[in-house]
Amino acid sequence: MSNGGKPQTAITPTRADNYQDWYQEVIKAADLAENSDVRGCMVIKPWGYALWENIQRVLDGMFKATGHVNAYFPLFIPVSFLEKEAAHVEGFAKECAVVTHHRLEARNGKLIPVGELEEPLVVRPTSETIIGASFAKWVQSYRDLPLLINQWANVVRWEMRTRLFLRTAEFLWQEGHTAHSSADEAVEETMKMLGVYAEFAEQYMAMPVIQGEKTAGERFPGAVQTYCIEAMMQDRKALQAGTSHFLGQNFAKASGIQFTDVNNQLTHAWTTSWGVSTRLVGGMIMTHADDDGMICPPKLAPQHVVIMPIARKPEERQRVIDYCKSLKKELEAQQYAGAPVRVLIDDRDSGGGKSWHWIKKGVPIRLEIGPRDIDADSVSMGRRDKGAKDKASVTRGELVAKVTSILDEIQQALFDRALAYRKEHTREINTKDEFYEFFKDPPKKKDSDPTPIHAGFAMAHFNGDPALEAKIKDDLKVTVRCIPLGGGEPGTCPFTGQPSKQRVVWAKSY
Amino acid sequence: MSNGGKPQTAITPTRADNYQDWYQEVIKAADLAENSDVRGCMVIKPWGYALWENIQRVLDGMFKATGHVNAYFPLFIPVSFLEKEAAHVEGFAKECAVVTHHRLEARNGKLIPVGELEEPLVVRPTSETIIGASFAKWVQSYRDLPLLINQWANVVRWEMRTRLFLRTAEFLWQEGHTAHSSADEAVEETMKMLGVYAEFAEQYMAMPVIQGEKTAGERFPGAVQTYCIEAMMQDRKALQAGTSHFLGQNFAKASGIQFTDVNNQLTHAWTTSWGVSTRLVGGMIMTHADDDGMICPPKLAPQHVVIMPIARKPEERQRVIDYCKSLKKELEAQQYAGAPVRVLIDDRDSGGGKSWHWIKKGVPIRLEIGPRDIDADSVSMGRRDKGAKDKASVTRGELVAKVTSILDEIQQALFDRALAYRKEHTREINTKDEFYEFFKDPPKKKDSDPTPIHAGFAMAHFNGDPALEAKIKDDLKVTVRCIPLGGGEPGTCPFTGQPSKQRVVWAKSY
């Protein structure tokens, strides 16, 4: 099959040819996850789950360092709890798994649900109401506040159109829930956790993000203010990668979280919630992966280094393996990002396919070691941030001394590349025509062609009118991703000529 | 109120007075968990969850060291999957949460489940069938085996009579699932993981266990052999603390896990599964807690040391706090069980109640430090394995030098005490009369009195007849907890006079 003179790549199709199929193929080639037989639910395979475990470990440390403790609350929420907050039930009732029975009985050779529940239970789509019920019991006095709780859990939202990691009926996440004795303190918490998410995204995922506030239309159901981090994917759509909500007293009133304040007045608490999910794995893929497959940012990579012994003659094999083992030990004695360097020896007897196997899985550093390398006391090294055929020979001593700085270089290179990409595809737009032109997708050659890569982020002024935002969403499938923190120069809304406080980020989104 | 000359205790009632109520009160006083508003579901509070996190961290390390990797599978199981293994569906269909709808709609001011599913989904009570469906896709050749997978997850079994940690509708657990190319290898895996559980229980939980095999009546539904670890609680009932199942080819046949073997023959794989749950937290409470509250085994304690500054005069306060902070740093520089010693300063302004607060929570070492202690460069130390009023004065230098060996001493003391208790209440029994006498509970004074403490474990011969076992269960609520590994002398079954291969463990159980 001719490939039209293009360089050969491990993933077919390429990003440019069909971005959505490329995404699925990268996941498959790296063995990260797969669809299950249960509608909308995914199986997270060991390599994908290892990325999530590393995300969890780092974030959990950051949550604890900011004073939070973990707890666990019920999977099931009585429908009456959900109803307590009007906007909240409106937001979640349309897509939830409802438990109605507690037994199966065989009738005519078929298992039938029996034992109907008096009150149906919803599988948690989020836990504000069920955690609120506990907080109401735990809080009496201002001395009981703040309550700073986090939960690692699975949640279910009955999505009709799912996509691995990005949108699935069941997903894994953490949800922070806090209660405070003043609005100011709750707002401060909301912003602090947004900052934690931004730091994590940029420093660990190597994924540049814009921190900002959501407009009313994109707010969490029941929240007073929703803040988010937004990242640009390689199809130039935005991914909302984490949210932090100031809930005011809305949920405290719904759940009865009250305390006697310093003046002995009974007052409702101010609460927050904040979460990130397995969606972050999707974000990593779409930020870093290339036409050769996954690229794991070193700080979260399941393995930092893979060593591939190459011994064609059986009599050489033991010598090469021994050399690899002793090198592994030396590398593992190095500390990277607070833990030993993670090294894997792939001594499967499978020849030349091994290197591509690990390229597709996105391991940061690949080492090939054969008898001649040993004689020269050197190794052949490939870095995943460089081309598949770009290999360098380094001495063993140099490699051991530099392995952590090479990992740092790769981590930084990934971040720099992603930031440059975002900058390249972000444009300040000042007229309505230019805006509509920017977001008009290039024409497809035929109807069955995949959606092409989009234009990017538009930084444009906006008068804040929800009706205008709705019209633009209707026309272009473009929304305000966020109103960036830190403000900006005031100006004129290009759609209405009215005054605008600052430019906002417009984009198509996941 | 007179207490009849008994020593005063922090928990009312005591173990002897009402064991079940004592258990609930220990949990409440230590703030470990509480019942939720959702039937049968508990809320695991931060102190209880921290114990579970430590259990997870250690076990996860042990699973990885034995070659397992983590993955994640769907929460929901189609009813048709459950039906594939006959014994399995029989075992779990009677008590499961069934999802039948995927939307709620307001009708006459009430939210009604709508959007009925074509096939009902069961919230996983265990995951053999749903994981089997994935394994069937992942395994083609003997080269794909063994598959060594673990999952940390929540599961739901619709229990009618629940008890915090020991038996709840929803609980947290890990479930290992492995597939192998030979029966021998699968049996070896089953035994290896039983050994991991026993090591964890004894070395980390300080809870002595008996390893053994279950009789047919107590086997996991669908298993060929079920092995378990059994521990004696302080009411002398047995707690099944972990199970490891050899599933033969039963589930491989049900799920279609087939591989081509070295001779190119298509063969069903041999599988295992093994699990422990948040029940272990209940086991720790019932093994170690006393009439003053919880006792955390040091290796799993959320905090190892609590420092209570005592400064009655405001001008002394800063000096005492500073001293405590510098001591905290010194203690945290010590390594215990592979991690820094965990130290908390409780500088709440709440006077004498603080010491009892931490006794009830079970922190291994309590330090009280006032101005006079500082002048003498010493601290007042209380150990949770000793009486509440038993305090020793130690110099600061001595404390820092010895803190990890003190923690080791406490860990060992807890294990020794539990082992001595089990030995004291385990009896070899050789006649039927003696057996029935042993298990006859002492008479209650009035019907409303709580069940008294039971007799213990009986080591008795048994001919292995399921009908006899059922009769004894019916008569006494006593079952064979396990057939201990390692065999033993053959003898005569005291109930039938028939030959018996070895003595088995009989007990009442949770």
Side-chain angles (χ1 to χ4, degrees):
Chain A
M1 199 176 80
S2 158
N3 64 4
K6 288 185 206 168
Q8 209 144 7
T9 59
I11 305 296
T12 310
T14 63
R15 286 164 289 185
D17 284 344
N18 185 334
Y19 188 83
Q20 295 314 329
D21 286 359
W22 164 83
Y23 176 72
Q24 304 292 340
E25 288 301 318
V26 168
I27 290 173
K28 196 173 164 186
D31 221 13
L32 295 166
E34 65 189 21
N35 286 307
S36 77
D37 295 310
V38 184
R39 220 199 116 284
C41 293
M42 66 176 160
V43 173
I44 308 180
K45 299 183 82 173
W47 193 255
Y49 198 82
L51 285 167
W52 177 240
E53 283 182 287
N54 288 339
I55 290 173
Q56 285 189 298
R57 189 177 37 76
V58 174
L59 274 177
D60 197 68
M62 294 173 90
F63 298 156
K64 284 175 178 157
T66 45
H68 303 84
V69 287
N70 289 327
Y72 188 78
F73 300 85
L75 171 67
F76 298 129
I77 301 181
V79 168
S80 57
F81 277 47
L82 217 56
E83 286 173 315
K84 287 178 184 172
E85 217 292 330
H88 192 67
V89 67
E90 173 74 17
F92 289 105
K94 274 168 270 168
E95 42 173 49
C96 57
V98 190
V99 176
T100 55
H101 296 74
H102 67 84
R103 203 163 68 244
L104 292 169
E105 253 177 45
R107 297 208 183 140
N108 305 321
K110 223 185 135 185
L111 282 178
I112 304 293
V114 292
E116 190 169 355
L117 304 181
E118 280 184 35
E119 181 181 5
L121 300 170
V122 166
V123 179
R124 64 180 161 223
T126 180
S127 301
E128 279 73 12
T129 57
I130 191 82
I131 293 183
S134 280
F135 279 17
K137 288 180 210 159
W138 299 354
V139 173
Q140 270 93 41
S141 144
Y142 68 93
R143 285 186 210 89
D144 301 323
L145 296 172
L147 261 181
L148 305 172
I149 303 280
N150 178 61
Q151 166 171 273
W152 292 98
N154 53 344
V155 283
V156 172
R157 298 175 186 178
W158 207 267
E159 302 282 354
M160 296 312 282
R161 297 176 57 187
T162 62
R163 191 171 289 163
L164 289 170
F165 291 117
L166 299 177
R167 191 175 293 276
T168 49
E170 183 192 14
F171 55 94
L172 304 182
W173 81 345
Q174 61 68 219
E175 45 183 327
H177 294 270
T178 69
H180 305 265
S181 56
S182 75
D184 281 356
E185 193 186 289
V187 168
E188 192 186 312
E189 167 80 7
T190 309
M191 302 314 293
K192 183 196 286 175
M193 299 322 290
L194 183 72
V196 164
Y197 288 156
E199 185 190 339
F200 176 76
E202 302 204 328
Q203 298 301 313
Y204 288 86
M205 295 173 64
M207 180 175 82
V209 293
I210 300 171
Q211 301 181 52
E213 188 182 344
K214 287 287 186 195
T215 57
E218 298 277 323
R219 216 173 264 157
F220 178 76
V224 173
Q225 286 170 305
T226 287
Y227 294 88
C228 61
I229 53 170
E230 298 278 334
M232 183 186 282
M233 303 293 99
Q234 291 181 80
D235 61 351
R236 303 174 205 162
K237 282 168 81 170
L239 184 80
Q240 175 181 301
T243 48
S244 186
H245 314 292
F246 170 57
L247 304 174
Q249 293 176 305
N250 293 351
F251 283 90
K253 284 177 180 164
S255 300
I257 310 172
Q258 296 186 84
F259 67 99
T260 48
D261 66 15
V262 283
N263 304 315
N264 217 25
Q265 298 293 310
L266 196 62
T267 311
H268 282 103
W270 285 264
T271 67
T272 83
S273 68
W274 29 274
V276 298
S277 73
T278 34
R279 171 172 256 213
L280 291 182
V281 179
M284 269 197 281
I285 299 167
M286 292 211 296
T287 300
H288 301 305
D290 62 14
D291 294 336
D292 284 336
M294 181 57 181
I295 302 182
C296 300
K299 285 194 187 161
L300 299 172
Q303 301 289 348
H304 293 124
V305 179
V306 60
I307 304 179
M308 291 168 277
I310 295 170
R312 282 177 190 84
K313 298 177 197 158
E315 66 272 22
E316 288 168 341
R317 194 171 155 76
Q318 198 52 50
R319 178 174 163 237
V320 173
I321 297 275
D322 289 346
Y323 186 90
C324 292
K325 281 186 181 165
S326 85
L327 176 59
K328 178 177 195 278
K329 259 196 194 156
E330 277 192 89
L331 292 171
E332 285 173 341
Q334 309 300 311
Q335 292 280 316
Y336 179 66
V341 169
R342 297 184 279 272
V343 185
L344 182 87
I345 297 178
D346 179 2
D347 62 352
R348 288 173 304 162
D349 196 14
S350 59
K354 281 202 277 196
S355 187
W356 276 109
H357 176 83
W358 295 109
I359 289 171
K360 288 187 278 186
K361 286 181 106 70
V363 172
I365 297 173
R366 303 181 309 283
L367 304 177
E368 292 179 336
I369 300 177
R372 278 194 302 181
D373 299 300
I374 298 176
D375 294 340
D377 206 30
S378 74
V379 303
S380 164
M381 176 179 76
R383 287 169 50 152
R384 189 59 184 89
D385 61 329
K386 301 191 171 176
K389 290 178 180 165
D390 189 347
K391 290 179 196 173
S393 182
V394 290
T395 67
R396 175 179 175 151
E398 195 183 2
L399 175 72
V400 172
K402 286 194 180 168
V403 63
T404 62
S405 57
I406 295 170
L407 291 169
D408 271 332
E409 272 174 43
I410 297 173
Q411 180 84 23
Q412 190 63 43
L414 295 180
F415 180 81
D416 291 346
R417 189 152 77 189
L419 186 61
Y421 189 84
R422 189 183 80 194
K423 282 187 178 160
E424 188 185 344
H425 301 289
T426 299
R427 200 194 297 172
E428 286 205 353
I429 286 184
N430 297 309
T431 71
K432 181 181 170 181
D433 285 353
E434 201 190 346
F435 187 94
Y436 272 70
E437 184 61 30
F438 183 73
F439 282 114
K440 199 176 69 186
D441 282 328
K444 297 179 182 182
K445 284 173 197 152
K446 51 181 192 296
D447 275 356
S448 62
D449 279 352
T451 306
I453 301 291
H454 306 281
F457 288 3
M459 303 299 298
H461 281 289
F462 175 48
N463 69 350
D465 177 16
L468 171 60
E469 197 183 350
K471 165 125 182 47
I472 290 169
K473 185 174 180 178
D474 214 46
D475 289 347
L476 299 169
K477 293 184 185 154
V478 167
T479 50
V480 176
R481 298 321 304 151
C482 70
I483 306 158
L485 297 191
E489 293 294 303
T492 304
C493 169
F495 309 103
T496 62
Q498 290 176 342
S500 153
K501 286 183 199 155
Q502 68 173 94
R503 290 178 190 270
V504 302
V505 183
W506 295 88
K508 295 184 181 177
S509 71
Y510 281 93
Chain B
M1 199 175 79
S2 159
N3 64 4
K6 290 186 206 167
Q8 207 144 10
T9 58
I11 304 297
T12 310
T14 62
R15 284 164 290 185
D17 284 345
N18 187 331
Y19 189 83
Q20 294 314 329
D21 286 0
W22 164 83
Y23 177 70
Q24 303 292 339
E25 288 301 318
V26 168
I27 289 173
K28 196 173 163 185
D31 221 13
L32 295 167
E34 65 189 21
N35 286 307
S36 77
D37 295 310
V38 184
R39 222 199 116 283
C41 294
M42 67 176 159
V43 173
I44 308 180
K45 299 183 79 172
W47 193 255
Y49 198 83
L51 286 168
W52 178 241
E53 283 182 287
N54 288 340
I55 290 172
Q56 284 189 297
R57 190 176 37 75
V58 174
L59 275 177
D60 198 68
M62 293 173 90
F63 298 156
K64 284 175 178 158
T66 44
H68 303 85
V69 287
N70 289 325
Y72 188 78
F73 300 86
L75 171 67
F76 299 128
I77 300 181
V79 168
S80 58
F81 278 49
L82 218 54
E83 286 173 313
K84 287 178 183 171
E85 216 292 329
H88 191 67
V89 67
E90 175 75 17
F92 290 106
K94 274 168 269 168
E95 42 173 49
C96 58
V98 191
V99 176
T100 54
H101 296 75
H102 68 82
R103 204 163 68 244
L104 293 168
E105 253 177 43
R107 294 201 187 146
N108 305 320
K110 225 185 133 185
L111 282 178
I112 305 292
V114 293
E116 190 170 354
L117 303 182
E118 280 183 36
E119 180 180 6
L121 300 170
V122 166
V123 179
R124 62 179 161 223
T126 180
S127 301
E128 277 74 10
T129 57
I130 191 81
I131 292 182
S134 281
F135 279 17
K137 288 180 211 161
W138 300 355
V139 173
Q140 269 95 40
S141 147
Y142 69 92
R143 286 187 210 87
D144 301 323
L145 296 172
L147 260 181
L148 305 172
I149 303 281
N150 178 61
Q151 166 171 272
W152 291 97
N154 53 345
V155 284
V156 172
R157 298 173 187 180
W158 208 267
E159 302 283 354
M160 296 312 281
R161 298 176 57 187
T162 61
R163 192 171 287 165
L164 289 170
F165 291 117
L166 297 178
R167 191 175 293 275
T168 49
E170 183 193 13
F171 56 92
L172 304 182
W173 81 345
Q174 61 67 218
E175 46 182 325
H177 293 271
T178 69
H180 304 265
S181 56
S182 75
D184 281 355
E185 192 186 290
V187 168
E188 191 185 315
E189 166 80 8
T190 308
M191 301 315 291
K192 183 196 287 174
M193 299 322 289
L194 183 72
V196 164
Y197 288 156
E199 184 190 341
F200 176 76
E202 303 206 325
Q203 298 301 314
Y204 288 86
M205 295 173 64
M207 181 174 82
V209 293
I210 299 171
Q211 302 181 50
E213 188 183 346
K214 287 286 184 197
T215 57
E218 299 277 323
R219 215 173 265 157
F220 177 75
V224 173
Q225 285 170 305
T226 286
Y227 294 88
C228 60
I229 52 170
E230 298 278 334
M232 182 186 284
M233 303 294 101
Q234 290 181 78
D235 62 351
R236 303 172 205 163
K237 282 168 80 171
L239 185 80
Q240 175 180 301
T243 48
S244 186
H245 315 292
F246 170 56
L247 304 174
Q249 293 177 305
N250 294 351
F251 283 90
K253 283 176 181 163
S255 300
I257 310 172
Q258 296 187 84
F259 67 99
T260 48
D261 67 15
V262 282
N263 303 317
N264 217 24
Q265 298 293 308
L266 195 60
T267 311
H268 283 104
W270 286 263
T271 68
T272 83
S273 67
W274 28 275
V276 297
S277 72
T278 36
R279 168 171 258 214
L280 291 182
V281 179
M284 270 197 279
I285 299 167
M286 293 211 297
T287 301
H288 302 304
D290 62 15
D291 294 338
D292 285 336
M294 181 59 182
I295 301 182
C296 299
K299 284 193 188 160
L300 299 172
Q303 302 290 345
H304 293 124
V305 180
V306 59
I307 304 179
M308 293 168 277
I310 295 170
R312 282 176 189 83
K313 297 177 196 158
E315 67 272 21
E316 288 168 342
R317 193 169 158 78
Q318 197 53 50
R319 181 176 160 234
V320 174
I321 297 275
D322 288 348
Y323 185 91
C324 292
K325 282 186 181 165
S326 84
L327 176 59
K328 178 177 196 280
K329 260 196 192 152
E330 278 191 90
L331 292 171
E332 285 173 342
Q334 310 301 311
Q335 292 279 317
Y336 178 67
V341 169
R342 297 184 280 272
V343 185
L344 182 86
I345 297 178
D346 179 2
D347 64 351
R348 288 173 305 161
D349 196 11
S350 60
K354 280 200 282 197
S355 187
W356 276 109
H357 176 83
W358 294 109
I359 289 171
K360 288 186 280 187
K361 287 181 105 69
V363 172
I365 298 174
R366 302 181 310 281
L367 305 177
E368 291 179 335
I369 300 177
R372 278 193 300 182
D373 299 300
I374 298 176
D375 293 341
D377 206 30
S378 75
V379 303
S380 164
M381 178 180 75
R383 284 168 52 151
R384 189 59 185 88
D385 60 330
K386 302 194 170 175
K389 287 177 182 166
D390 188 347
K391 289 178 196 174
S393 182
V394 291
T395 67
R396 176 179 175 150
E398 197 184 358
L399 175 72
V400 172
K402 286 195 180 166
V403 65
T404 61
S405 57
I406 296 170
L407 291 170
D408 271 333
E409 272 174 45
I410 297 173
Q411 179 84 23
Q412 191 62 45
L414 295 179
F415 180 82
D416 292 346
R417 189 151 78 189
L419 186 60
Y421 189 85
R422 189 184 78 194
K423 283 189 178 159
E424 188 184 344
H425 300 288
T426 299
R427 199 193 299 173
E428 287 204 353
I429 287 184
N430 298 312
T431 72
K432 181 180 170 181
D433 285 353
E434 200 190 346
F435 186 92
Y436 272 70
E437 183 61 29
F438 183 73
F439 282 116
K440 198 177 69 183
D441 282 328
K444 296 179 181 184
K445 286 173 195 152
K446 51 182 193 295
D447 274 358
S448 61
D449 279 352
T451 306
I453 302 292
H454 307 282
F457 288 4
M459 303 298 300
H461 282 290
F462 174 48
N463 69 349
D465 177 15
L468 171 60
E469 197 183 352
K471 164 120 182 51
I472 290 171
K473 185 175 180 179
D474 215 43
D475 290 345
L476 298 169
K477 293 183 185 156
V478 166
T479 49
V480 176
R481 298 321 304 150
C482 70
I483 305 157
L485 296 192
E489 293 296 305
T492 305
C493 171
F495 309 102
T496 61
Q498 292 177 342
S500 153
K501 286 185 200 153
Q502 68 173 93
R503 290 179 189 270
V504 303
V505 183
W506 296 88
K508 296 185 181 178
S509 71
Y510 280 93

